[in-house]
Short mmCIF file of all heavy atoms in Angstrom, two decimals:
data_model
loop_
_atom_site.label_atom_id
_atom_site.label_comp_id
_atom_site.label_asym_id
_atom_site.label_seq_id
_atom_site.Cartn_x
_atom_site.Cartn_y
_atom_site.Cartn_z
N ILE F 152 1.91 -5.08 0.20
CA ILE F 152 2.23 -4.07 -0.84
C ILE F 152 1.17 -3.86 -1.88
O ILE F 152 0.83 -2.74 -2.17
CB ILE F 152 3.60 -4.37 -1.53
CG1 ILE F 152 4.72 -4.37 -0.50
CG2 ILE F 152 3.86 -3.42 -2.70
CD1 ILE F 152 5.93 -4.97 -1.01
N LEU F 153 0.62 -4.99 -2.38
CA LEU F 153 -0.42 -4.98 -3.38
C LEU F 153 -1.71 -4.28 -2.80
O LEU F 153 -2.26 -3.44 -3.44
CB LEU F 153 -0.73 -6.36 -3.80
CG LEU F 153 -1.61 -6.53 -5.07
CD1 LEU F 153 -0.94 -5.90 -6.25
CD2 LEU F 153 -1.82 -7.95 -5.30
N TYR F 154 -2.06 -4.70 -1.61
CA TYR F 154 -3.27 -4.02 -1.07
C TYR F 154 -3.09 -2.53 -0.83
O TYR F 154 -4.08 -1.79 -1.21
CB TYR F 154 -3.55 -4.76 0.27
CG TYR F 154 -4.52 -3.97 1.19
CD1 TYR F 154 -5.86 -3.88 0.85
CD2 TYR F 154 -4.00 -3.33 2.27
CE1 TYR F 154 -6.74 -3.10 1.77
CE2 TYR F 154 -4.88 -2.58 3.15
CZ TYR F 154 -6.22 -2.45 2.73
OH TYR F 154 -7.06 -1.71 3.55
N THR F 155 -2.07 -2.17 -0.28
CA THR F 155 -1.77 -0.80 0.09
C THR F 155 -1.82 0.04 -1.24
O THR F 155 -2.26 1.24 -1.32
CB THR F 155 -0.49 -0.52 0.86
OG1 THR F 155 -0.53 -1.36 1.98
CG2 THR F 155 -0.34 0.91 1.23
N ALA F 156 -1.10 -0.51 -2.31
CA ALA F 156 -0.95 0.15 -3.57
C ALA F 156 -2.45 0.34 -4.25
O ALA F 156 -2.68 1.41 -4.77
CB ALA F 156 -0.05 -0.49 -4.54
N VAL F 157 -3.20 -0.62 -4.13
CA VAL F 157 -4.62 -0.57 -4.66
C VAL F 157 -5.41 0.51 -3.91
O VAL F 157 -6.09 1.27 -4.53
CB VAL F 157 -5.25 -2.01 -4.55
CG1 VAL F 157 -6.69 -1.85 -4.87
CG2 VAL F 157 -4.57 -2.98 -5.61
N ALA F 158 -5.28 0.32 -2.55
CA ALA F 158 -6.03 1.32 -1.84
C ALA F 158 -5.60 2.76 -2.09
O ALA F 158 -6.47 3.76 -2.13
CB ALA F 158 -5.94 1.07 -0.31
N ASN F 159 -4.33 3.01 -2.29
CA ASN F 159 -3.87 4.31 -2.62
C ASN F 159 -4.32 4.79 -3.99
O ASN F 159 -4.72 5.94 -4.20
CB ASN F 159 -2.29 4.20 -2.55
CG ASN F 159 -1.65 5.59 -3.10
OD1 ASN F 159 -1.34 5.65 -4.20
ND2 ASN F 159 -1.45 6.46 -2.09
N ARG F 160 -4.27 3.82 -5.02
CA ARG F 160 -4.70 4.25 -6.31
C ARG F 160 -6.11 4.52 -6.29
O ARG F 160 -6.59 5.49 -7.11
CB ARG F 160 -4.36 3.03 -7.21
CG ARG F 160 -4.83 3.27 -8.73
CD ARG F 160 -3.94 3.99 -9.44
NE ARG F 160 -2.59 3.43 -9.56
CZ ARG F 160 -2.23 2.54 -10.46
NH1 ARG F 160 -3.08 2.03 -11.37
NH2 ARG F 160 -0.99 1.99 -10.44
N ASP F 161 -7.00 3.82 -5.67
CA ASP F 161 -8.45 3.97 -5.71
C ASP F 161 -9.08 4.64 -4.44
O ASP F 161 -10.20 4.43 -4.12
CB ASP F 161 -8.94 2.49 -5.81
CG ASP F 161 -10.46 2.50 -6.44
OD1 ASP F 161 -10.75 3.53 -7.21
OD2 ASP F 161 -11.24 1.57 -6.14
N TYR F 162 -8.20 5.39 -3.79
CA TYR F 162 -8.53 5.97 -2.49
C TYR F 162 -9.95 6.80 -2.50
O TYR F 162 -10.69 6.66 -1.66
CB TYR F 162 -7.44 6.93 -2.01
CG TYR F 162 -7.71 7.33 -0.57
CD1 TYR F 162 -7.73 6.50 0.53
CD2 TYR F 162 -8.10 8.69 -0.29
CE1 TYR F 162 -7.95 6.87 1.82
CE2 TYR F 162 -8.39 9.08 1.04
CZ TYR F 162 -8.31 8.18 2.06
OH TYR F 162 -8.63 8.63 3.31
N ASP F 163 -10.12 7.57 -3.58
CA ASP F 163 -11.38 8.43 -3.62
C ASP F 163 -12.64 7.60 -3.56
O ASP F 163 -13.62 7.98 -3.01
CB ASP F 163 -11.41 9.31 -4.86
CG ASP F 163 -10.39 10.46 -4.75
OD1 ASP F 163 -9.97 10.77 -3.57
OD2 ASP F 163 -10.00 11.02 -5.73
N ASN F 164 -12.45 6.36 -4.16
CA ASN F 164 -13.70 5.49 -4.24
C ASN F 164 -13.87 4.61 -2.98
O ASN F 164 -14.88 4.14 -2.72
CB ASN F 164 -13.54 4.53 -5.51
CG ASN F 164 -13.68 5.34 -6.74
OD1 ASN F 164 -14.55 6.18 -6.88
ND2 ASN F 164 -12.84 5.06 -7.70
N ILE F 165 -12.68 4.27 -2.31
CA ILE F 165 -12.84 3.28 -1.22
C ILE F 165 -12.65 3.87 0.20
O ILE F 165 -12.80 3.21 1.19
CB ILE F 165 -11.87 2.13 -1.44
CG1 ILE F 165 -10.27 2.71 -1.48
CG2 ILE F 165 -12.11 1.37 -2.71
CD1 ILE F 165 -9.61 2.92 -0.14
N LYS F 166 -12.35 5.20 0.31
CA LYS F 166 -12.13 5.81 1.60
C LYS F 166 -13.27 5.63 2.58
O LYS F 166 -13.13 5.49 3.74
CB LYS F 166 -11.68 7.34 1.44
CG LYS F 166 -12.62 8.18 0.75
CD LYS F 166 -12.18 9.61 0.64
CE LYS F 166 -13.08 10.53 -0.12
NZ LYS F 166 -12.44 11.89 -0.36
N GLY F 167 -14.53 5.72 1.92
CA GLY F 167 -15.66 5.60 2.79
C GLY F 167 -15.77 4.21 3.48
O GLY F 167 -16.26 3.99 4.58
N TYR F 168 -15.38 3.13 2.66
CA TYR F 168 -15.43 1.82 3.16
C TYR F 168 -14.40 1.65 4.21
O TYR F 168 -14.57 0.83 5.15
CB TYR F 168 -15.17 0.82 1.94
CG TYR F 168 -16.34 0.86 0.87
CD1 TYR F 168 -15.98 1.26 -0.44
CD2 TYR F 168 -17.59 0.65 1.25
CE1 TYR F 168 -16.92 1.42 -1.35
CE2 TYR F 168 -18.65 0.76 0.22
CZ TYR F 168 -18.24 1.10 -1.03
OH TYR F 168 -19.28 1.24 -2.11
N LEU F 169 -13.27 2.21 4.02
CA LEU F 169 -12.21 2.07 5.09
C LEU F 169 -12.68 2.73 6.32
O LEU F 169 -12.45 2.19 7.49
CB LEU F 169 -10.92 2.82 4.53
CG LEU F 169 -10.05 2.10 3.54
CD1 LEU F 169 -8.86 2.89 3.03
CD2 LEU F 169 -9.59 0.67 4.00
N GLN F 170 -13.36 3.84 6.21
CA GLN F 170 -13.85 4.60 7.44
C GLN F 170 -14.85 3.76 8.07
O GLN F 170 -14.94 3.63 9.36
CB GLN F 170 -14.36 5.91 7.02
CG GLN F 170 -14.67 6.81 8.28
CD GLN F 170 -13.49 7.12 9.17
OE1 GLN F 170 -12.53 7.53 8.71
NE2 GLN F 170 -13.67 6.98 10.43
N ALA F 171 -15.73 3.22 7.38
CA ALA F 171 -16.84 2.38 7.88
C ALA F 171 -16.35 1.14 8.65
O ALA F 171 -16.81 0.86 9.79
CB ALA F 171 -17.77 2.01 6.71
N SER F 172 -15.31 0.46 8.02
CA SER F 172 -14.75 -0.64 8.75
C SER F 172 -14.08 -0.25 10.14
O SER F 172 -14.22 -0.85 11.12
CB SER F 172 -13.64 -1.33 7.91
OG SER F 172 -14.26 -2.01 6.76
N TYR F 173 -13.38 0.89 10.01
CA TYR F 173 -12.67 1.44 11.26
C TYR F 173 -13.74 1.80 12.32
O TYR F 173 -13.56 1.36 13.44
CB TYR F 173 -11.89 2.59 10.83
CG TYR F 173 -11.25 3.29 12.06
CD1 TYR F 173 -10.07 2.79 12.65
CD2 TYR F 173 -11.89 4.45 12.55
CE1 TYR F 173 -9.55 3.50 13.72
CE2 TYR F 173 -11.29 5.18 13.71
CZ TYR F 173 -10.17 4.63 14.26
OH TYR F 173 -9.59 5.23 15.33
N ASP F 174 -14.74 2.42 11.95
CA ASP F 174 -15.73 2.82 12.90
C ASP F 174 -16.52 1.60 13.49
O ASP F 174 -16.79 1.58 14.68
CB ASP F 174 -16.93 3.80 12.20
CG ASP F 174 -16.31 5.04 11.85
OD1 ASP F 174 -15.23 5.41 12.34
OD2 ASP F 174 -16.85 5.73 10.95
N ALA F 175 -16.78 0.58 12.65
CA ALA F 175 -17.50 -0.59 13.22
C ALA F 175 -16.68 -1.32 14.20
O ALA F 175 -17.23 -1.76 15.30
CB ALA F 175 -17.79 -1.52 11.98
#
């Protein structure tokens, strides 16, 4: 819950990192 809420709150800043991990 904590991780998902943080990612949701900060999505504009971290979306690139999430995509990079997924692609890798």
Side-chain angles (χ1 to χ4, degrees):
I152 295 168
L153 189 60
Y154 161 74
T155 305
V157 167
N159 174 268
R160 177 81 61 84
D161 202 24
Y162 186 72
D163 288 343
N164 292 319
I165 57 87
K166 59 184 178 182
Y168 299 118
L169 285 177
Q170 187 64 48
S172 294
Y173 174 80
D174 292 341

